[in-house]
Amino acid sequence: MSLASTIRAAAPHTPQSVAQAFNSRSNSIGFLRWLMAFMVIFSHAGPIAGFYGGEDLGVQISKEQSIGGVAVAGFFFFSGFLITRSRMGRATIWRYMWRRVLRIFPAFWAALLFTVGILAPIAYWHTFHNISGYLHPATESPLTYFVNNMWLNLGQRNIAGMGENLPYFILHGARDWNGSAWTLIYEFKAYILVAILGLFGALANRKVGGAFALVLIALNALQWMGAGQVANVNYLLRDPYMLMFMGPFAFGMLFTLYGDKIPMDSRLAWGGLIFGVLSYASGGWNIVGQYGFLYFLMYLAIRLPLQNWEKHGDLSYGIYIYAWPIMAFAAYFHLQDRGWIAYHLTVVVTVHILAYLSWHLIEKPAMSQKNYLPRWMDKLIEHFRPTYEAVARRIVTPALSSTRIATVMEAEEASARTEGESK
């Protein structure tokens, strides 16, 4: 072996960056999202079915977050990473938002209709031994359940005054047919945030986008450190959950914007996991600890050999939106009395079936329309296109924008320079 080869072999190994190591066509994000969906199920079995002392799994250790909350942070982290990558493409804001609508709403609407049309009537009949009072109860009409919840801002949690005999009501005084779905509105708000950042070029200039993400992470930390004035920064921040979810989402954005600068090192990954676990148990999870865990999740997404996990479909969203309704439905039949294993096995199998049907019958067909725009929207865009382009040409700086008009302007400027040089 030559001296040069010996030196190269002895030189310390330089880890790849996230951008180098991550393969968009071959990664294990699908498996991790599936796993996190089941973390939510196991966590929620506490209040819904009365396990773990009637509390969410994890709060017995942590004063800040349940295991389900840890999983949701993982969901938002991967969303921030993937959605930012999607927005940095050349699709218009309209097409970007259309794709996000297709991903969230059709399956969610189907879950609402399945709950109010199938699960709740059966549970009502089982409870009252008749169905006559279901359609016209004194409160919480099933006829308003879909409309009151369809835009993600859950305005009606229960149906027909049911649930007084369930562990969830007995332990917590609450009745809810889908207690997981409340996080979806924050997911969609995050989509809107990325859309606006892309529109104003904040994703094309990563210093601007990165600074914005860091501000969100810092505000979330300040909130959990007790800085009461954070809520006065903007009315959107008066909702403490907004920053709680935007923290991991913004961290995922950084992994897209600075993927070529962030090393993907196994030592950092395992150190991040240890740091996250310790902060989960002792305090500081929402401030800093979760970011060590999220780094570890990205490491797993790259290193785990489970790239084909979604070959039969992406089931994680379906699991998430159907798990709570099925768990509540099972509680109406006292399945929890048969034990933890019987309850969870039944729920897991049923939810998998529903998630599989949701993907193949609703989610996948809906996403097949991602390049389609409704005729009315297409006409509206065409009608306002001249006005929009005239305004955009005055305010857009091509070098700092990722919009379609910026691409057109760059091409025009390049063409003008070429013509000028040829004269």
Side-chain angles (χ1 to χ4, degrees):
M1 180 182 292
S2 66
L3 178 60
S5 299
T6 302
I7 293 174
R8 283 195 298 267
H13 173 67
T14 302
Q16 288 183 308
S17 67
V18 170
Q20 292 171 324
F22 182 78
N23 186 334
S24 60
R25 296 182 180 276
S26 180
N27 60 76
S28 296
I29 288 180
F31 165 76
L32 293 171
R33 290 195 295 197
W34 172 87
L35 183 63
M36 289 186 292
F38 277 95
M39 289 171 62
V40 174
I41 289 179
F42 294 140
S43 179
H44 285 160
I48 297 175
F51 298 113
Y52 323 127
E55 301 292 340
D56 282 285
L57 183 62
V59 299
Q60 299 83 359
I61 299 174
S62 174
K63 295 181 180 180
E64 296 183 56
Q65 196 58 271
S66 68
I67 293 298
V70 170
V72 171
F75 278 124
F76 273 84
F77 168 67
F78 282 132
S79 286
F81 176 67
L82 295 173
I83 295 302
T84 304
R85 285 169 62 93
S86 173
R87 185 66 184 103
M88 289 175 69
R90 293 300 181 179
T92 64
I93 187 174
W94 310 107
R95 201 166 293 280
Y96 161 84
M97 287 305 303
W98 174 244
R99 292 172 180 176
R100 304 284 69 78
V101 166
L102 290 175
R103 189 67 190 98
I104 291 289
F105 285 98
F108 176 63
W109 288 343
L112 291 177
L113 293 173
F114 181 78
T115 300
V116 75
I118 297 178
L119 297 181
I122 295 175
Y124 190 93
W125 177 84
H126 179 75
T127 302
F128 300 104
H129 307 293
N130 69 76
I131 201 67
S132 59
Y134 180 71
L135 289 178
H136 302 288
T139 59
E140 302 168 329
S141 170
L143 302 179
T144 59
Y145 180 75
F146 179 83
V147 174
N148 287 339
N149 297 318
M150 65 182 296
W151 301 120
L152 305 179
N153 190 16
L154 305 184
Q156 181 180 336
R157 296 298 191 102
N158 197 39
I159 302 172
M162 304 167 63
E164 289 189 359
N165 296 323
L166 298 186
Y168 193 42
F169 182 81
I170 294 171
L171 295 168
H172 300 280
R175 292 177 286 191
D176 201 328
W177 267 103
N178 202 335
S180 299
W182 69 276
T183 64
L184 296 179
I185 192 169
Y186 295 98
E187 176 87 2
F188 201 75
K189 286 178 179 179
Y191 295 166
I192 296 173
L193 172 66
V194 171
I196 295 172
L197 291 175
L199 181 64
F200 288 96
L203 300 180
N205 187 324
R206 67 179 180 181
K207 290 183 179 179
V208 176
F212 188 88
L214 289 173
V215 167
L216 288 178
I217 292 171
L219 287 174
N220 179 54
L222 289 172
Q223 172 181 260
W224 287 100
M225 291 169 66
Q229 300 304 311
V230 170
N232 297 327
V233 173
N234 185 284
Y235 80 96
L236 291 175
L237 304 184
R238 293 172 188 171
D239 179 352
Y241 295 111
M242 190 71 185
L243 281 175
M244 186 179 79
F245 293 131
M246 289 303 106
F249 188 90
F251 195 58
M253 291 176 60
L254 291 175
F255 273 67
T256 289
L257 295 171
Y258 284 91
D260 61 328
K261 302 294 185 182
I262 300 175
M264 189 42 46
D265 192 312
S266 60
R267 294 165 297 181
L268 290 176
W270 289 103
L273 175 63
I274 294 171
F275 177 67
V277 169
L278 291 176
S279 67
Y280 183 80
S282 61
W285 166 266
N286 287 314
I287 300 172
V288 291
Q290 63 176 324
Y291 302 112
F293 171 73
L294 297 175
Y295 181 93
F296 180 73
L297 279 186
M298 180 59 73
Y299 173 77
L300 291 182
I302 293 171
R303 293 301 305 270
L304 285 179
L306 296 167
Q307 291 82 9
N308 297 320
W309 189 260
E310 295 178 326
K311 64 180 180 181
H312 298 299
D314 180 359
L315 306 185
S316 59
Y317 183 48
I319 292 171
Y320 191 80
I321 59 178
Y322 281 105
W324 186 295
I326 293 300
M327 294 172 76
F329 182 73
Y332 274 99
F333 289 85
H334 304 284
L335 184 61
Q336 65 275 10
D337 294 342
R338 295 182 177 272
W340 190 93
I341 295 177
Y343 178 84
H344 281 84
L345 183 62
T346 303
V347 168
V348 165
V349 171
T350 305
V351 168
H352 260 100
I353 294 172
L354 291 173
Y356 182 87
L357 293 174
S358 176
W359 172 257
H360 288 282
L361 298 181
I362 299 171
E363 297 170 55
K364 186 178 180 180
M367 290 303 294
S368 70
Q369 302 299 311
K370 64 182 181 179
N371 293 321
Y372 163 80
L373 280 181
R375 183 174 297 178
W376 65 267
M377 185 180 292
D378 200 36
K379 287 184 178 181
L380 192 66
I381 292 172
E382 288 301 321
H383 178 76
F384 286 102
R385 189 184 299 279
T387 303
Y388 165 75
E389 291 191 354
V391 173
R393 286 178 177 275
R394 290 181 176 274
I395 65 175
V396 168
T397 302
L400 302 179
S401 178
S402 59
T403 59
R404 184 190 62 82
I405 191 66
T407 304
V408 173
M409 293 172 67
E410 285 179 341
E412 291 174 351
E413 291 178 2
S415 177
R417 286 194 300 270
T418 302
E419 290 182 2
E421 291 171 357
S422 62
K423 291 181 180 180

